[in-house]
Amino acid sequence: AVASSGSCRGKGLMTNHDFGAVLLFSMIIMGLSGFVRAVEPPKAKKIPYTLEKHGDVRVDDYYWLRERTDAKVLKYLKDENLYTAAMLKPVEKLQAKLFAEMKSRIKEDDSSVPFKYGDYYYYKRYEKGFEYPIYARKQGSVEAKEEIILNVNEVAKGTSFCQVRFPAIRPDHKMIAYAVDTKGRRFFTIYFKDLHTGKLYAEKLTDTAGNMAWANDNKTLFYVKQDTGTLRWNRVLRHELGFRKNPEVYFEADETFELSISKSNTDKYIFIRTGATMSTEYRLIDADKPGAEPVMFYPRQPRLEYDVQDGGGVFYVSNNDNARNFKLSAAPAAKTGKENWTDLVAHREDVLLEGVEVFENWLVLKEKKNALDQLRVISRGTGEEHLIAFDEPAYTAALGENFEYKTETVRFNYESMTTPVSVYDYDMAARQRVLMKRQEVPGGFKPENYVSERLWFTARDGEKVPLSIVYRKGLDPAAGKNPVYIYSYGSYGYSTDPDFNSQRLSLLDRGFIYAIPHIRGGSELGRRWYEEGRQLKKRNTFLDFIDATRYLVDLDSAAPRHVYAEGGSAGGLLMGAVLNMAPELYKGVIADVPFVDALTTMLDPNIPLTTGEYDEWGNPNVKENYDYIKTYSPYDNVEKK
């Protein structure tokens, strides 16, 4: 199904995806042409399996490969890996060189910027030679003595895999709950640790989603469990320390919806958010009364999406009620029905409202305009507003870790294709920013050695599409002989932002142009951009990517037959579709955890993510959707080319 790429992994050193980059970069740099077939590729056995829907018959010769525990399937996968190892033998030395090069740009003894929560400053850090983070805090000041609250390297001892998310801090700051996954399938066990004694409680919560929030009584933890088959997050439970029973607080019966929980910055509410692709619903629990029943904020309506933030006596609601790009409304705490919502920031055709952070005296809106991020600061007292200015041609900015409600400072993160991740604290009243930290990139990296540009090209249907590129200074982007590496995603309204990646430098320093076309299916140009690349308009996503490639070739930026493409998960579907539609444009492609058997997958409601994806791809049980998905489903359109 549409699996996310590699999020369950350690982050201190190189990750699984980084090794993939090493392999791909080595093949690209060697030009692919010098490979010799040292061994014959394995051949999967053909066992015809008939699939029929709407009177249409498809025969799948490889349906048997879906059985992940079958011995024959495992043997075939092992044979594929042996073949890969043999084929890559000629570039083993280059792989080692690239690995050392990429690793040298990672500061192993790094730490995050501490964020304030209560009387403590919390952060994570890494120690050289260790894979996993150490979570720590300091009381009263960032200059105070460090207190380690959890060393994940110790948790990971004896395991081949370990993921631990940032611990949930109890309101009195005397205990943490932390979730551990040692299998890689995102089933987490929650543990409880006393921070004063260092004692690990015997009680634990197994097979959870790892999503949790403390009530204000310092003994009740709300947490989420998922369906063991579909992996859909569908249940909220309540655990009270010292008790074995964990009563169910809420169950989401609609298989097209999944839920999550969070706590408001005011610490007054536990939010239960249930959502499908095009509809959301909130329930609230008073954090001072954890045994109370959840209260409906506003019932779900088809195509009504909304999100809620508490503002102390008033709720701020970002919503798309007659507002395709979303607007910001206010609702009184006692009357949260939509008829009581008052618009504060009206709908704008050219600006997408993506989120809002609420403080005692301020609102900060995360927006997107012309494929660039905006941060808008609004005084709750006067209504006066201003934008935080950014000056690079292509960049990304996002709200950071803001745990304090009563503060005049907002933290945000900024980066571009030439500027490493930078953490800023911004004084909203004084309109002044302070750079708290910029990601250190060892190995001699200098931002001024690289050039980033924002271009626009015209797609085949006349639509103007933005394109971000980066290359080494001194390279002529119009020389007609540059190798190009092109990457995109283009689904779920998820924008592919022009961010920084130190691995990318291994290509840029060897004369590559790196390009990100901001294709339809994302939200770079607002909600319309997403709607033009989903369901019965999904092919626009693939055609935009192909047209971006042709634009770079026609611009003489790309050398013909020296273009390489990458996409992962739903972006892997993009790669599969592009390979079927225009294979002549690309010399190499990486399809990372690709969703390529789209039609068969979306017809199976028993595997992860299917039913919740109908709003994205269309429900193929409806013939019109079936016929359309079949036109691009990569697995169903493979031809000899």
Side-chain angles (χ1 to χ4, degrees):
V2 192
S4 296
S5 169
S7 61
C8 295
R9 60 198 187 198
K11 294 181 181 177
L13 301 176
M14 302 291 282
T15 66
N16 291 337
H17 180 70
D18 300 330
F19 286 112
V22 170
L23 293 175
L24 183 69
F25 288 8
S26 63
M27 289 189 289
I28 290 172
I29 293 163
M30 289 291 285
L32 291 172
S33 59
F35 289 90
V36 178
R37 290 189 179 274
V39 293
E40 284 298 310
K43 270 194 172 182
K45 185 177 180 180
K46 289 186 177 183
I47 305 176
Y49 185 89
T50 300
L51 297 158
E52 184 174 357
K53 190 72 177 180
H54 304 300
D56 181 54
V57 176
R58 294 177 297 137
V59 177
D60 186 348
D61 289 334
Y62 307 105
Y63 192 83
W64 63 277
L65 281 168
R66 66 194 269 121
E67 301 298 332
R68 72 178 70 184
T69 59
D70 186 275
K72 293 178 181 178
V73 173
L74 294 174
K75 181 182 184 304
Y76 174 72
L77 294 178
K78 289 176 182 177
D79 289 344
E80 285 279 11
N81 286 339
L82 289 172
Y83 172 66
T84 299
M87 290 293 286
L88 294 177
K89 192 76 175 174
V91 292
E92 282 185 346
K93 290 183 179 179
L94 181 56
Q95 287 175 37
K97 180 180 180 180
L98 286 170
F99 176 76
E101 191 176 292
M102 293 178 186
K103 185 178 176 182
S104 72
R105 300 193 193 102
I106 299 173
K107 190 174 187 294
E108 294 186 48
D109 54 345
D110 204 1
S111 64
S112 65
V113 179
F115 63 86
K116 191 174 187 299
Y117 177 40
D119 193 37
Y120 290 88
Y121 290 86
Y122 289 89
Y123 58 98
K124 68 178 178 180
R125 62 178 177 83
Y126 295 92
E127 291 184 349
K128 189 172 184 177
F130 291 91
E131 176 73 10
Y132 297 98
I134 296 169
Y135 296 116
R137 68 181 182 181
K138 296 180 179 181
Q139 187 173 15
S141 165
V142 293
E143 306 300 328
K145 182 181 177 181
E146 178 182 83
E147 175 189 352
I148 294 176
I149 62 175
L150 187 67
N151 187 338
V152 182
N153 296 288
E154 294 178 357
V155 176
K157 285 181 179 178
T159 68
S160 58
F161 170 89
C162 184
Q163 184 191 18
V164 178
R165 295 171 177 168
F166 204 102
I169 313 298
R170 205 168 71 176
D172 63 1
H173 298 264
K174 294 180 180 179
M175 176 178 282
I176 58 171
Y178 64 94
V180 182
D181 172 20
T182 57
K183 303 293 184 183
R185 194 153 163 77
R186 302 178 193 176
F187 282 90
F188 292 82
T189 298
I190 295 175
Y191 298 91
F192 299 89
K193 180 181 178 181
D194 187 309
L195 295 181
H196 280 196
T197 65
K199 173 188 173 184
L200 190 65
Y201 278 42
E203 59 191 282
K204 59 186 179 181
L205 308 172
T206 59
D207 294 331
T208 80
N211 180 210
M212 53 190 163
W214 285 99
N216 291 339
D217 63 354
N218 292 308
K219 61 182 180 180
T220 302
L221 184 79
F222 293 93
Y223 66 100
V224 173
K225 287 181 77 75
Q226 66 272 63
D227 184 278
T228 56
T230 66
L231 308 186
R232 182 174 69 94
W233 293 16
N234 61 358
R235 300 170 65 204
V236 177
L237 293 91
R238 183 178 68 243
H239 175 74
E240 188 174 343
L241 291 172
F243 291 84
R244 290 187 176 182
K245 289 188 176 181
N246 299 307
E248 184 176 275
V249 176
Y250 178 71
F251 173 73
E252 178 51 63
D254 190 331
E255 293 185 349
T256 66
F257 281 68
E258 71 172 9
L259 57 78
S260 62
I261 60 173
S262 61
K263 195 174 187 181
S264 66
N265 268 11
T266 60
D267 286 332
K268 182 172 175 56
Y269 297 101
I270 304 294
F271 291 137
I272 301 177
R273 182 190 190 275
T274 57
T277 304
M278 305 293 284
S279 178
T280 52
E281 178 180 81
Y282 272 76
R283 288 173 172 79
L284 281 58
I285 300 173
D286 188 330
D288 292 325
K289 301 174 182 178
E293 289 294 314
V295 176
M296 176 71 72
F297 186 87
Y298 186 74
R300 67 191 66 175
Q301 303 290 333
R303 301 188 70 82
L304 174 65
E305 300 170 66
Y306 72 90
D307 282 300
V308 180
Q309 297 287 343
D310 179 36
V314 61
F315 290 105
Y316 291 95
V317 188
S318 56
N319 66 93
N320 69 342
D321 183 34
N322 294 316
R324 181 165 62 175
N325 280 336
F326 290 79
K327 60 185 177 181
L328 183 65
S329 305
K335 297 179 180 180
T336 61
K338 187 157 67 72
E339 66 276 6
N340 299 307
W341 297 0
T342 302
D343 292 349
L344 298 179
V345 178
H347 175 258
R348 294 153 293 173
E349 283 294 339
D350 61 341
V351 178
L352 174 67
L353 174 59
E354 294 188 307
V356 59
E357 195 81 77
V358 178
F359 302 96
E360 185 178 40
N361 299 317
W362 303 93
L363 304 173
V364 182
L365 277 55
K366 167 65 164 55
E367 304 173 337
K368 196 175 289 290
K369 181 178 181 179
N370 287 330
L372 293 174
D373 293 328
Q374 293 184 164
L375 296 178
R376 185 180 302 274
V377 180
I378 303 175
S379 168
R380 290 180 62 180
T382 67
E384 185 179 359
E385 62 181 65
H386 66 274
L387 292 173
I388 301 176
F390 306 111
D391 56 9
E392 290 190 86
Y395 62 85
T396 178
L399 291 163
E401 294 166 314
N402 294 286
F403 281 77
E404 293 288 286
Y405 177 66
K406 297 183 178 182
T407 180
E408 298 294 295
T409 301
V410 61
R411 175 163 293 176
F412 69 86
N413 302 321
Y414 174 90
E415 60 185 301
S416 74
M417 297 173 86
T418 60
T419 303
V421 179
S422 307
V423 180
Y424 287 91
D425 279 352
Y426 183 77
D427 187 317
M428 293 177 279
R431 303 189 182 187
Q432 294 179 342
R433 76 186 79 180
V434 176
L435 177 63
M436 304 301 292
K437 180 176 181 176
R438 177 161 289 155
Q439 174 191 350
E440 183 179 337
V441 183
F445 167 76
K446 294 181 179 179
E448 60 269 23
N449 288 340
Y450 304 88
V451 178
S452 176
E453 297 180 20
R454 166 60 57 81
L455 307 174
W456 294 79
F457 67 92
T458 303
R460 64 190 66 191
D461 62 355
E463 192 73 68
K464 297 289 186 181
V465 182
L467 173 69
S468 299
I469 66 170
V470 63
Y471 53 90
R472 178 101 187 183
K473 185 177 287 185
L475 178 145
D476 180 0
K481 59 182 179 180
N482 302 305
V484 168
Y485 191 98
I486 182 169
Y487 171 87
S488 201
Y489 185 74
S491 291
Y492 304 102
Y494 178 80
S495 299
T496 308
D497 293 317
D499 58 4
F500 184 82
N501 188 328
S502 64
Q503 298 165 36
R504 189 185 297 152
L505 301 175
S506 291
L507 289 180
L508 302 184
D509 290 346
R510 290 171 171 85
F512 275 75
I513 294 173
Y514 188 96
I516 300 175
H518 303 285
I519 56 182
R520 280 172 280 187
S523 293
E524 286 90 339
L525 295 179
R527 192 54 176 258
R528 179 185 71 85
W529 209 240
Y530 170 40
E531 293 174 354
E532 288 290 318
R534 59 180 282 272
Q535 289 201 343
L536 297 176
K537 296 184 178 180
K538 188 62 201 171
R539 288 174 63 89
N540 285 335
T541 300
F542 318 132
L543 299 178
D544 282 356
F545 191 90
I546 292 169
D547 291 348
T549 306
R550 288 184 172 142
Y551 170 76
L552 290 170
V553 172
D554 293 343
L555 200 65
D556 281 338
S557 289
R561 293 295 298 151
H562 210 357
V563 178
Y564 306 86
E566 181 189 2
S569 195
L573 182 149
L574 167 66
M575 293 298 101
V578 163
L579 278 174
N580 285 334
M581 294 176 180
E584 73 281 356
L585 290 175
Y586 307 95
K587 190 169 187 180
V589 165
I590 182 167
D592 186 28
V593 289
F595 173 45
V596 286
D597 194 8
L599 191 54
T600 301
T601 298
M602 292 306 298
L603 283 166
D604 188 347
N606 298 314
I607 58 178
L609 302 176
T610 296
T611 55
E613 302 292 300
Y614 289 157
D615 274 340
E616 179 69 21
W617 313 103
N619 182 351
N621 293 297
V622 177
K623 188 175 187 304
E624 182 184 26
N625 293 328
Y626 176 95
D627 291 342
Y628 188 79
I629 295 172
K630 189 180 178 183
T631 68
Y632 68 76
S633 177
Y635 187 69
D636 293 285
N637 287 279
V638 174
E639 298 173 343
K640 186 176 182 180
K641 292 187 177 180

